Amino acid sequence: MNVALLGATGRTGVLVLDELLMRGHAVRALVRSEGRITPGAAITTVVGDSRDRDTLSELVGGVEAVMSALGPRARDESLHRDTAKALVASMHDAGVRRFVGVSGMGIDVPGDQRSLSAKVAASLVKLVGGAVSRDKQLEYEVFSASDLDWTLARPPRLADGEETGRLEHDARRSTRSTKIRRADLATFLVDVAEQGLYLRQAPFVATARR
Ligand SMILES: NC(=O)c1ccc[n+]([C@@H]2O[C@H](COP(=O)([O-])OP(=O)(O)OC[C@H]3O[C@@H](n4cnc5c(N)ncnc54)[C@H](OP(=O)(O)O)[C@@H]3O)[C@@H](O)[C@H]2O)c1
């Protein structure tokens, strides 16, 4: 596949990029400045901001799927919703339907079946996350109102470390585990994009306990 990737320089994004390249996909990566990623045979870069329509049009033109591991580096309380609005419009113009991105377990989706502990954890995420958490909820509203084939993964706390290969995920039921390795999340996201899983859904996903 030809894949456009947002957040490719981030801690999860770099792992998504590696996974895509390892599986033989061609990637067009969004970077905020030249030199952050070295272009190669299977990788090209587009320089710009994720909220900029012209940048996104250049990024998504001719790709089969758009993936994102975008996240606010500083206090940027509308990054996700502003990017989602610009991205939906750019993808629509370019005729690209598939989007796979990272949300968080704090967002609410109709039909959710959370355990009591997951309900408490989600309330805490909303309390501590404040405006950023609200921004992710609004991002979800933008994608769900679109006609795209979107998937927004809802991981709990992200952790670094080796890939475990132990994933639990479900469209409605909260996970038992309360964390996920970024490497496991990267594999999950690429699986979802490759296999067309969880269309127009926001699956909970975590690294399963032993
Ligand atoms: N931390 C957690 O426990 C947790 C839990 C659940 C979900 N999440 C979510 O998981 C996602 C990935 O997290 P992470 O820690 O891997 O992210 P990260 O390391 O903070 O990376 C964020 C990425 O977004 C890019 N970015 C930020 N603003 C941008 C803009 N205006 N234009 C273009 N690119 C921009 C950054 O580019 P630069 O390199 O140029 O800054 C970087 O590539 C985030 O959405 C986060 O909210 C996190």
Side-chain angles (χ1 to χ4, degrees):
M1 277 192 298
N2 288 319
V3 180
L5 178 61
L6 289 81
T9 53
R11 288 162 292 181
T12 305
V14 76
L15 302 174
V16 175
L17 176 62
D18 287 350
E19 190 68 26
L20 285 167
L21 295 175
M22 196 187 74
R23 298 195 199 184
H25 301 294
V27 181
R28 193 177 306 157
L30 178 66
V31 290
R32 285 201 278 186
S33 50
E34 296 278 4
R36 294 295 307 279
I37 290 176
T38 310
I43 178 160
T44 52
T45 56
V46 171
V47 180
D49 191 280
S50 66
R51 294 161 291 199
D52 181 65
R53 273 289 299 275
D54 291 340
T55 300
L56 292 180
S57 296
E58 190 184 345
L59 185 75
V60 307
V63 303
E64 284 133 287
V66 178
M67 298 186 68
S68 174
L70 192 77
R73 289 287 204 190
R75 270 193 91 68
D76 187 345
E77 297 175 352
S78 63
L79 175 70
H80 288 293
R81 85 192 84 149
D82 292 345
T83 298
K85 286 178 195 157
L87 195 52
V88 166
S90 302
M91 288 177 67
H92 191 265
D93 288 351
V96 183
R97 294 194 54 79
R98 186 69 173 125
F99 174 80
V100 178
V102 182
S103 179
M105 60 84 75
I107 72 157
D108 294 321
V109 172
D112 277 352
Q113 296 167 14
R114 295 184 198 256
S115 63
L116 181 58
S117 59
K119 282 182 186 160
V120 172
S123 300
L124 276 174
V125 165
K126 285 180 204 164
L127 196 65
V128 175
V132 172
S133 183
R134 275 196 299 284
D135 188 32
K136 281 192 179 290
Q137 184 71 43
L138 293 168
E139 173 193 42
Y140 162 76
E141 311 292 347
V142 172
F143 280 111
S144 64
S146 80
D147 62 357
L148 297 181
D149 290 330
W150 56 270
T151 303
L152 282 169
R154 286 191 282 171
R157 188 162 49 89
L158 304 188
D160 292 324
E162 298 272 296
E163 181 179 2
T164 69
R166 298 191 315 274
L167 280 168
E168 55 165 327
H169 49 92
D170 192 275
R172 289 167 186 267
R173 277 193 307 278
S174 54
T175 57
R176 285 160 55 86
S177 167
T178 54
K179 67 180 173 187
I180 184 168
R181 299 252 180 118
R182 286 184 169 88
D184 290 329
L185 178 57
T187 299
F188 175 75
L189 295 171
V190 177
D191 284 348
V192 164
E194 271 186 342
Q195 298 168 36
L197 307 175
Y198 291 119
L199 295 182
R200 300 186 62 81
Q201 290 181 311
F204 293 105
V205 57
T207 296
R209 296 179 189 144
R210 282 183 197 283

PDB file of all heavy atoms in Angstrom, residues 99-129:
ATOM      1  N   PHE A  99      -8.792   5.679   7.058  1.00  0.00           N
ATOM      2  CA  PHE A  99      -8.002   6.376   8.085  1.00  0.00           C
ATOM      3  C   PHE A  99      -7.878   5.491   9.308  1.00  0.00           C
ATOM      4  O   PHE A  99      -8.881   4.930   9.792  1.00  0.00           O
ATOM      5  CB  PHE A  99      -8.679   7.696   8.481  1.00  0.00           C
ATOM      6  CG  PHE A  99      -7.983   8.360   9.635  1.00  0.00           C
ATOM      7  CD1 PHE A  99      -6.823   9.095   9.442  1.00  0.00           C
ATOM      8  CD2 PHE A  99      -8.467   8.212  10.936  1.00  0.00           C
ATOM      9  CE1 PHE A  99      -6.151   9.675  10.510  1.00  0.00           C
ATOM     10  CE2 PHE A  99      -7.805   8.789  12.017  1.00  0.00           C
ATOM     11  CZ  PHE A  99      -6.648   9.520  11.801  1.00  0.00           C
ATOM     12  N   VAL A 100      -6.659   5.354   9.823  1.00  0.00           N
ATOM     13  CA  VAL A 100      -6.409   4.610  11.064  1.00  0.00           C
ATOM     14  C   VAL A 100      -5.562   5.497  11.982  1.00  0.00           C
ATOM     15  O   VAL A 100      -4.450   5.900  11.621  1.00  0.00           O
ATOM     16  CB  VAL A 100      -5.644   3.292  10.782  1.00  0.00           C
ATOM     17  CG1 VAL A 100      -5.353   2.564  12.094  1.00  0.00           C
ATOM     18  CG2 VAL A 100      -6.438   2.391   9.846  1.00  0.00           C
ATOM     19  N   GLY A 101      -6.112   5.827  13.151  1.00  0.00           N
ATOM     20  CA  GLY A 101      -5.388   6.722  14.041  1.00  0.00           C
ATOM     21  C   GLY A 101      -5.466   6.291  15.497  1.00  0.00           C
ATOM     22  O   GLY A 101      -6.083   5.284  15.838  1.00  0.00           O
ATOM     23  N   VAL A 102      -4.801   7.086  16.340  1.00  0.00           N
ATOM     24  CA  VAL A 102      -4.735   6.794  17.771  1.00  0.00           C
ATOM     25  C   VAL A 102      -5.558   7.814  18.539  1.00  0.00           C
ATOM     26  O   VAL A 102      -5.327   9.022  18.419  1.00  0.00           O
ATOM     27  CB  VAL A 102      -3.279   6.853  18.288  1.00  0.00           C
ATOM     28  CG1 VAL A 102      -3.238   6.502  19.769  1.00  0.00           C
ATOM     29  CG2 VAL A 102      -2.379   5.928  17.483  1.00  0.00           C
ATOM     30  N   SER A 103      -6.518   7.326  19.317  1.00  0.00           N
ATOM     31  CA  SER A 103      -7.273   8.187  20.222  1.00  0.00           C
ATOM     32  C   SER A 103      -6.823   7.849  21.641  1.00  0.00           C
ATOM     33  O   SER A 103      -5.619   7.797  21.900  1.00  0.00           O
ATOM     34  CB  SER A 103      -8.769   7.960  20.005  1.00  0.00           C
ATOM     35  OG  SER A 103      -9.501   8.753  20.887  1.00  0.00           O
ATOM     36  N   GLY A 104      -7.767   7.603  22.530  1.00  0.00           N
ATOM     37  CA  GLY A 104      -7.400   7.247  23.899  1.00  0.00           C
ATOM     38  C   GLY A 104      -8.581   6.608  24.585  1.00  0.00           C
ATOM     39  O   GLY A 104      -9.733   6.768  24.130  1.00  0.00           O
ATOM     40  N   MET A 105      -8.327   5.867  25.678  1.00  0.00           N
ATOM     41  CA  MET A 105      -9.429   5.139  26.318  1.00  0.00           C
ATOM     42  C   MET A 105     -10.397   6.074  27.047  1.00  0.00           C
ATOM     43  O   MET A 105     -11.452   5.645  27.506  1.00  0.00           O
ATOM     44  CB  MET A 105      -8.888   4.046  27.257  1.00  0.00           C
ATOM     45  CG  MET A 105      -8.017   4.511  28.380  1.00  0.00           C
ATOM     46  SD  MET A 105      -8.965   5.049  29.802  1.00  0.00           S
ATOM     47  CE  MET A 105      -9.462   3.479  30.457  1.00  0.00           C
ATOM     48  N   GLY A 106     -10.054   7.385  27.108  1.00  0.00           N
ATOM     49  CA  GLY A 106     -10.937   8.330  27.801  1.00  0.00           C
ATOM     50  C   GLY A 106     -12.132   8.763  26.966  1.00  0.00           C
ATOM     51  O   GLY A 106     -13.080   9.344  27.498  1.00  0.00           O
ATOM     52  N   ILE A 107     -12.121   8.495  25.669  1.00  0.00           N
ATOM     53  CA  ILE A 107     -13.259   8.990  24.881  1.00  0.00           C
ATOM     54  C   ILE A 107     -14.436   8.018  24.961  1.00  0.00           C
ATOM     55  O   ILE A 107     -14.259   6.820  25.123  1.00  0.00           O
ATOM     56  CB  ILE A 107     -12.893   9.287  23.406  1.00  0.00           C
ATOM     57  CG1 ILE A 107     -12.653   8.012  22.597  1.00  0.00           C
ATOM     58  CG2 ILE A 107     -11.751  10.260  23.282  1.00  0.00           C
ATOM     59  CD1 ILE A 107     -12.851   8.226  21.112  1.00  0.00           C
ATOM     60  N   ASP A 108     -15.626   8.590  24.865  1.00  0.00           N
ATOM     61  CA  ASP A 108     -16.858   7.795  24.979  1.00  0.00           C
ATOM     62  C   ASP A 108     -17.461   7.548  23.603  1.00  0.00           C
ATOM     63  O   ASP A 108     -17.553   8.468  22.787  1.00  0.00           O
ATOM     64  CB  ASP A 108     -17.887   8.536  25.838  1.00  0.00           C
ATOM     65  CG  ASP A 108     -17.413   8.660  27.273  1.00  0.00           C
ATOM     66  OD1 ASP A 108     -16.824   7.689  27.783  1.00  0.00           O
ATOM     67  OD2 ASP A 108     -17.611   9.737  27.864  1.00  0.00           O
ATOM     68  N   VAL A 109     -17.887   6.317  23.389  1.00  0.00           N
ATOM     69  CA  VAL A 109     -18.500   5.921  22.121  1.00  0.00           C
ATOM     70  C   VAL A 109     -19.797   5.183  22.467  1.00  0.00           C
ATOM     71  O   VAL A 109     -19.811   4.364  23.404  1.00  0.00           O
ATOM     72  CB  VAL A 109     -17.524   4.986  21.352  1.00  0.00           C
ATOM     73  CG1 VAL A 109     -18.190   4.380  20.129  1.00  0.00           C
ATOM     74  CG2 VAL A 109     -16.258   5.750  20.941  1.00  0.00           C
ATOM     75  N   PRO A 110     -20.890   5.462  21.733  1.00  0.00           N
ATOM     76  CA  PRO A 110     -22.149   4.752  22.020  1.00  0.00           C
ATOM     77  C   PRO A 110     -21.937   3.241  21.973  1.00  0.00           C
ATOM     78  O   PRO A 110     -21.256   2.736  21.084  1.00  0.00           O
ATOM     79  CB  PRO A 110     -23.076   5.210  20.881  1.00  0.00           C
ATOM     80  CG  PRO A 110     -22.506   6.515  20.420  1.00  0.00           C
ATOM     81  CD  PRO A 110     -21.028   6.436  20.633  1.00  0.00           C
ATOM     82  N   GLY A 111     -22.516   2.538  22.940  1.00  0.00           N
ATOM     83  CA  GLY A 111     -22.424   1.077  22.963  1.00  0.00           C
ATOM     84  C   GLY A 111     -21.257   0.552  23.792  1.00  0.00           C
ATOM     85  O   GLY A 111     -21.081  -0.663  23.907  1.00  0.00           O
ATOM     86  N   ASP A 112     -20.451   1.457  24.366  1.00  0.00           N
ATOM     87  CA  ASP A 112     -19.317   1.022  25.183  1.00  0.00           C
ATOM     88  C   ASP A 112     -19.760   0.126  26.336  1.00  0.00           C
ATOM     89  O   ASP A 112     -20.788   0.389  26.981  1.00  0.00           O
ATOM     90  CB  ASP A 112     -18.596   2.243  25.796  1.00  0.00           C
ATOM     91  CG  ASP A 112     -17.600   2.863  24.826  1.00  0.00           C
ATOM     92  OD1 ASP A 112     -17.355   2.270  23.769  1.00  0.00           O
ATOM     93  OD2 ASP A 112     -17.068   3.936  25.151  1.00  0.00           O
ATOM     94  N   GLN A 113     -18.962  -0.913  26.588  1.00  0.00           N
ATOM     95  CA  GLN A 113     -19.216  -1.787  27.745  1.00  0.00           C
ATOM     96  C   GLN A 113     -17.952  -1.780  28.590  1.00  0.00           C
ATOM     97  O   GLN A 113     -17.047  -2.586  28.370  1.00  0.00           O
ATOM     98  CB  GLN A 113     -19.524  -3.208  27.273  1.00  0.00           C
ATOM     99  CG  GLN A 113     -20.793  -3.299  26.453  1.00  0.00           C
ATOM    100  CD  GLN A 113     -20.918  -4.635  25.735  1.00  0.00           C
ATOM    101  OE1 GLN A 113     -20.217  -5.587  26.027  1.00  0.00           O
ATOM    102  NE2 GLN A 113     -21.815  -4.690  24.787  1.00  0.00           N
ATOM    103  N   ARG A 114     -17.870  -0.843  29.522  1.00  0.00           N
ATOM    104  CA  ARG A 114     -16.673  -0.720  30.348  1.00  0.00           C
ATOM    105  C   ARG A 114     -16.884  -1.418  31.683  1.00  0.00           C
ATOM    106  O   ARG A 114     -17.973  -1.339  32.269  1.00  0.00           O
ATOM    107  CB  ARG A 114     -16.359   0.749  30.633  1.00  0.00           C
ATOM    108  CG  ARG A 114     -15.980   1.568  29.417  1.00  0.00           C
ATOM    109  CD  ARG A 114     -15.604   2.973  29.889  1.00  0.00           C
ATOM    110  NE  ARG A 114     -15.628   3.951  28.822  1.00  0.00           N
ATOM    111  CZ  ARG A 114     -14.552   4.441  28.238  1.00  0.00           C
ATOM    112  NH1 ARG A 114     -13.363   4.048  28.629  1.00  0.00           N
ATOM    113  NH2 ARG A 114     -14.658   5.345  27.288  1.00  0.00           N
ATOM    114  N   SER A 115     -15.811  -2.026  32.158  1.00  0.00           N
ATOM    115  CA  SER A 115     -15.845  -2.563  33.514  1.00  0.00           C
ATOM    116  C   SER A 115     -15.883  -1.372  34.487  1.00  0.00           C
ATOM    117  O   SER A 115     -15.592  -0.228  34.094  1.00  0.00           O
ATOM    118  CB  SER A 115     -14.586  -3.394  33.775  1.00  0.00           C
ATOM    119  OG  SER A 115     -13.449  -2.560  33.696  1.00  0.00           O
ATOM    120  N   LEU A 116     -16.197  -1.652  35.746  1.00  0.00           N
ATOM    121  CA  LEU A 116     -16.237  -0.570  36.733  1.00  0.00           C
ATOM    122  C   LEU A 116     -14.871   0.112  36.840  1.00  0.00           C
ATOM    123  O   LEU A 116     -14.766   1.343  36.841  1.00  0.00           O
ATOM    124  CB  LEU A 116     -16.661  -1.139  38.098  1.00  0.00           C
ATOM    125  CG  LEU A 116     -16.768  -0.108  39.218  1.00  0.00           C
ATOM    126  CD1 LEU A 116     -17.767   0.989  38.856  1.00  0.00           C
ATOM    127  CD2 LEU A 116     -17.173  -0.792  40.530  1.00  0.00           C
ATOM    128  N   SER A 117     -13.797  -0.690  36.882  1.00  0.00           N
ATOM    129  CA  SER A 117     -12.461  -0.096  37.005  1.00  0.00           C
ATOM    130  C   SER A 117     -12.117   0.731  35.762  1.00  0.00           C
ATOM    131  O   SER A 117     -11.467   1.774  35.862  1.00  0.00           O
ATOM    132  CB  SER A 117     -11.401  -1.172  37.258  1.00  0.00           C
ATOM    133  OG  SER A 117     -11.398  -2.093  36.203  1.00  0.00           O
ATOM    134  N   ALA A 118     -12.583   0.291  34.582  1.00  0.00           N
ATOM    135  CA  ALA A 118     -12.316   1.070  33.366  1.00  0.00           C
ATOM    136  C   ALA A 118     -13.108   2.372  33.377  1.00  0.00           C
ATOM    137  O   ALA A 118     -12.637   3.401  32.864  1.00  0.00           O
ATOM    138  CB  ALA A 118     -12.656   0.248  32.129  1.00  0.00           C
ATOM    139  N   LYS A 119     -14.306   2.345  33.979  1.00  0.00           N
ATOM    140  CA  LYS A 119     -15.094   3.588  34.091  1.00  0.00           C
ATOM    141  C   LYS A 119     -14.365   4.595  34.973  1.00  0.00           C
ATOM    142  O   LYS A 119     -14.285   5.781  34.663  1.00  0.00           O
ATOM    143  CB  LYS A 119     -16.477   3.296  34.686  1.00  0.00           C
ATOM    144  CG  LYS A 119     -17.440   2.692  33.689  1.00  0.00           C
ATOM    145  CD  LYS A 119     -18.799   2.485  34.333  1.00  0.00           C
ATOM    146  CE  LYS A 119     -19.730   1.744  33.389  1.00  0.00           C
ATOM    147  NZ  LYS A 119     -20.845   1.102  34.021  1.00  0.00           N
ATOM    148  N   VAL A 120     -13.819   4.083  36.067  1.00  0.00           N
ATOM    149  CA  VAL A 120     -13.084   4.964  36.994  1.00  0.00           C
ATOM    150  C   VAL A 120     -11.841   5.515  36.290  1.00  0.00           C
ATOM    151  O   VAL A 120     -11.539   6.710  36.346  1.00  0.00           O
ATOM    152  CB  VAL A 120     -12.687   4.196  38.276  1.00  0.00           C
ATOM    153  CG1 VAL A 120     -11.769   5.039  39.151  1.00  0.00           C
ATOM    154  CG2 VAL A 120     -13.937   3.782  39.040  1.00  0.00           C
ATOM    155  N   ALA A 121     -11.126   4.621  35.587  1.00  0.00           N
ATOM    156  CA  ALA A 121      -9.908   5.055  34.887  1.00  0.00           C
ATOM    157  C   ALA A 121     -10.229   6.113  33.830  1.00  0.00           C
ATOM    158  O   ALA A 121      -9.516   7.117  33.698  1.00  0.00           O
ATOM    159  CB  ALA A 121      -9.227   3.850  34.241  1.00  0.00           C
ATOM    160  N   ALA A 122     -11.332   5.914  33.078  1.00  0.00           N
ATOM    161  CA  ALA A 122     -11.709   6.879  32.042  1.00  0.00           C
ATOM    162  C   ALA A 122     -12.054   8.239  32.664  1.00  0.00           C
ATOM    163  O   ALA A 122     -11.692   9.290  32.122  1.00  0.00           O
ATOM    164  CB  ALA A 122     -12.886   6.349  31.231  1.00  0.00           C
ATOM    165  N   SER A 123     -12.716   8.212  33.818  1.00  0.00           N
ATOM    166  CA  SER A 123     -13.044   9.482  34.493  1.00  0.00           C
ATOM    167  C   SER A 123     -11.768  10.206  34.905  1.00  0.00           C
ATOM    168  O   SER A 123     -11.666  11.429  34.780  1.00  0.00           O
ATOM    169  CB  SER A 123     -13.894   9.223  35.737  1.00  0.00           C
ATOM    170  OG  SER A 123     -15.079   8.592  35.366  1.00  0.00           O
ATOM    171  N   LEU A 124     -10.792   9.436  35.377  1.00  0.00           N
ATOM    172  CA  LEU A 124      -9.519  10.039  35.777  1.00  0.00           C
ATOM    173  C   LEU A 124      -8.787  10.643  34.583  1.00  0.00           C
ATOM    174  O   LEU A 124      -8.230  11.742  34.672  1.00  0.00           O
ATOM    175  CB  LEU A 124      -8.624   8.985  36.428  1.00  0.00           C
ATOM    176  CG  LEU A 124      -8.858   8.743  37.911  1.00  0.00           C
ATOM    177  CD1 LEU A 124      -8.018   7.571  38.396  1.00  0.00           C
ATOM    178  CD2 LEU A 124      -8.531  10.010  38.719  1.00  0.00           C
ATOM    179  N   VAL A 125      -8.810   9.909  33.468  1.00  0.00           N
ATOM    180  CA  VAL A 125      -8.154  10.409  32.249  1.00  0.00           C
ATOM    181  C   VAL A 125      -8.779  11.739  31.842  1.00  0.00           C
ATOM    182  O   VAL A 125      -8.084  12.699  31.497  1.00  0.00           O
ATOM    183  CB  VAL A 125      -8.282   9.372  31.093  1.00  0.00           C
ATOM    184  CG1 VAL A 125      -7.946   9.997  29.743  1.00  0.00           C
ATOM    185  CG2 VAL A 125      -7.387   8.174  31.359  1.00  0.00           C
ATOM    186  N   LYS A 126     -10.117  11.813  31.927  1.00  0.00           N
ATOM    187  CA  LYS A 126     -10.800  13.054  31.529  1.00  0.00           C
ATOM    188  C   LYS A 126     -10.434  14.192  32.469  1.00  0.00           C
ATOM    189  O   LYS A 126     -10.217  15.328  32.053  1.00  0.00           O
ATOM    190  CB  LYS A 126     -12.314  12.850  31.531  1.00  0.00           C
ATOM    191  CG  LYS A 126     -12.789  12.041  30.346  1.00  0.00           C
ATOM    192  CD  LYS A 126     -14.287  11.877  30.413  1.00  0.00           C
ATOM    193  CE  LYS A 126     -14.680  10.652  29.639  1.00  0.00           C
ATOM    194  NZ  LYS A 126     -15.996  10.161  29.895  1.00  0.00           N
ATOM    195  N   LEU A 127     -10.355  13.853  33.762  1.00  0.00           N
ATOM    196  CA  LEU A 127     -10.042  14.873  34.773  1.00  0.00           C
ATOM    197  C   LEU A 127      -8.619  15.395  34.590  1.00  0.00           C
ATOM    198  O   LEU A 127      -8.392  16.601  34.501  1.00  0.00           O
ATOM    199  CB  LEU A 127     -10.187  14.239  36.161  1.00  0.00           C
ATOM    200  CG  LEU A 127     -10.272  15.173  37.349  1.00  0.00           C
ATOM    201  CD1 LEU A 127     -11.553  16.005  37.258  1.00  0.00           C
ATOM    202  CD2 LEU A 127     -10.270  14.350  38.645  1.00  0.00           C
ATOM    203  N   VAL A 128      -7.674  14.469  34.481  1.00  0.00           N
ATOM    204  CA  VAL A 128      -6.260  14.857  34.372  1.00  0.00           C
ATOM    205  C   VAL A 128      -5.970  15.417  32.982  1.00  0.00           C
ATOM    206  O   VAL A 128      -5.264  16.399  32.818  1.00  0.00           O
ATOM    207  CB  VAL A 128      -5.345  13.637  34.671  1.00  0.00           C
ATOM    208  CG1 VAL A 128      -3.888  13.980  34.444  1.00  0.00           C
ATOM    209  CG2 VAL A 128      -5.571  13.149  36.085  1.00  0.00           C
ATOM    210  N   GLY A 129      -6.552  14.775  31.956  1.00  0.00           N
ATOM    211  CA  GLY A 129      -6.286  15.187  30.562  1.00  0.00           C
ATOM    212  C   GLY A 129      -6.935  16.509  30.206  1.00  0.00           C
ATOM    213  O   GLY A 129      -6.468  17.217  29.320  1.00  0.00           O
TER     214      GLY A 129
END
